[in-house]
Amino acid sequence: MSKKNKLKDGINALEVNKELILNRHQIVNHSQYCIKVLPDRTDKKFILNPFQVFSPANIQKYLDKLAIDKSPGPDEINSIILKKCSKSFSVPLSSIFISSFVDGELPELWKEANITPIHKSGSKLEASNYRPVSLTSI
């Protein structure tokens, strides 16, 4: 069990153009996983009633279904807290979701993710031999 509890450090070295990079900041800046921007999806129109979709009852229903064994994301809010306090959190979360939908903006913290590179196969010095796994806010 103790073997499963150890955290992985990620990429310690990367080879770029036959040059070895050991500095973590340079590895992150050179990595293919820095930021991927999603394409603009203005070609489809959806008609949603945010007051119906994001009603406190719907929010509470989804909070009650959360798995309590999931890791917290960048916001460090554990799912067990959201699940146990679903009745109290449903009204404020409903207001946040509706406001976010109407304004067309997400809170900055919800746009963040913890990205961990997982080695697939081959040389550990090549960035293409890693796949990104992201942990977002619940």
Side-chain angles (χ1 to χ4, degrees), residues 12 27 51-52 64 85 123:
N12 295 320
I27 290 171
F51 297 96
Q52 183 179 8
D64 288 336
C85 301
S123 172

Side-chain angles (χ1 to χ4, degrees), residues 14-25:
L14 195 65
E15 187 176 313
V16 179
N17 299 329
K18 300 192 184 212
E19 181 182 330
L20 192 63
I21 300 174
L22 299 172
N23 183 311
R24 286 185 175 227
H25 295 290

